[in-house]
Amino acid sequence: MRRLALTLIVGLLMASSSFAKDDLATARGIIEQQIVAFLNDDVETAYSLAAPGVKSAFPEPKTFVEMVKRNYLPVYRPGNYAFGRALSDTRGDTIAQELLITGPNGKNWRAVYILEKQDDGNYRITGVRLSTLKAPSI
């Protein structure tokens, strides 16, 4: 069910969206903060931006970062990156934000970050879907 929801969100990135620019700026700031933390090997900061569900699956920051290194190397060590399209649900509780990345090996990637507003009102990253791009992205 979660995969279906993620697929729908990713598919809707093609559609236009009207959500608060502040929420979009916040989401982009969180993503960028996590990327900078990865680049600086700041495990604690990178981990702090993950949603509780992610932390439940990876209860230790070191385990979380090892998973990112193994499965999301372009996110962990991006070359160039640029924000693409974004979409929010009607309440603004969930944001899907596209990030175009040139990975450490020069290969181009699309990462779609899913961020959800938590009970405390802050957005946290609940997941990232990574796919390769055939054409240059940046």
Side-chain angles (χ1 to χ4, degrees):
M1 183 60 132
R2 185 179 178 127
R3 181 172 279 238
L4 176 61
L6 180 61
T7 302
L8 289 173
I9 290 171
V10 171
L12 288 174
L13 280 171
M14 300 296 183
S16 63
S17 171
S18 61
F19 55 97
K21 288 183 181 180
D22 288 345
D23 289 342
L24 175 59
T26 298
R28 288 180 174 182
I30 290 167
I31 293 166
E32 189 145 37
Q33 188 177 358
Q34 189 177 61
I35 289 172
V36 168
F38 286 143
L39 288 170
N40 291 321
D41 294 317
D42 182 352
V43 174
E44 295 298 325
T45 297
Y47 187 71
S48 74
L49 299 167
V54 174
K55 290 179 179 179
S56 160
F58 303 96
E60 297 296 323
K62 184 177 178 183
T63 308
F64 167 72
V65 170
E66 289 303 318
M67 177 276 299
V68 173
K69 285 181 189 177
R70 209 173 33 256
N71 299 308
Y72 299 91
L73 187 59
V75 168
Y76 183 70
R77 288 292 188 253
N80 294 324
Y81 63 90
F83 289 99
R85 298 164 289 188
L87 175 72
S88 175
D89 64 4
T90 56
R91 294 176 304 187
D93 292 336
T94 303
I95 295 175
Q97 173 63 62
E98 178 183 55
L99 188 70
L100 305 173
I101 303 169
T102 300
N105 62 358
K107 192 172 182 180
N108 295 308
W109 298 85
R110 173 182 292 120
V112 177
Y113 282 77
I114 307 300
L115 296 92
E116 290 181 1
K117 191 177 283 187
Q118 305 303 302
D119 291 339
D120 64 3
N122 292 310
Y123 285 98
R124 291 292 176 254
I125 299 167
T126 61
V128 177
R129 180 163 172 95
L130 192 62
S131 60
T132 58
L133 290 175
K134 304 282 187 234
S137 63
I138 301 173

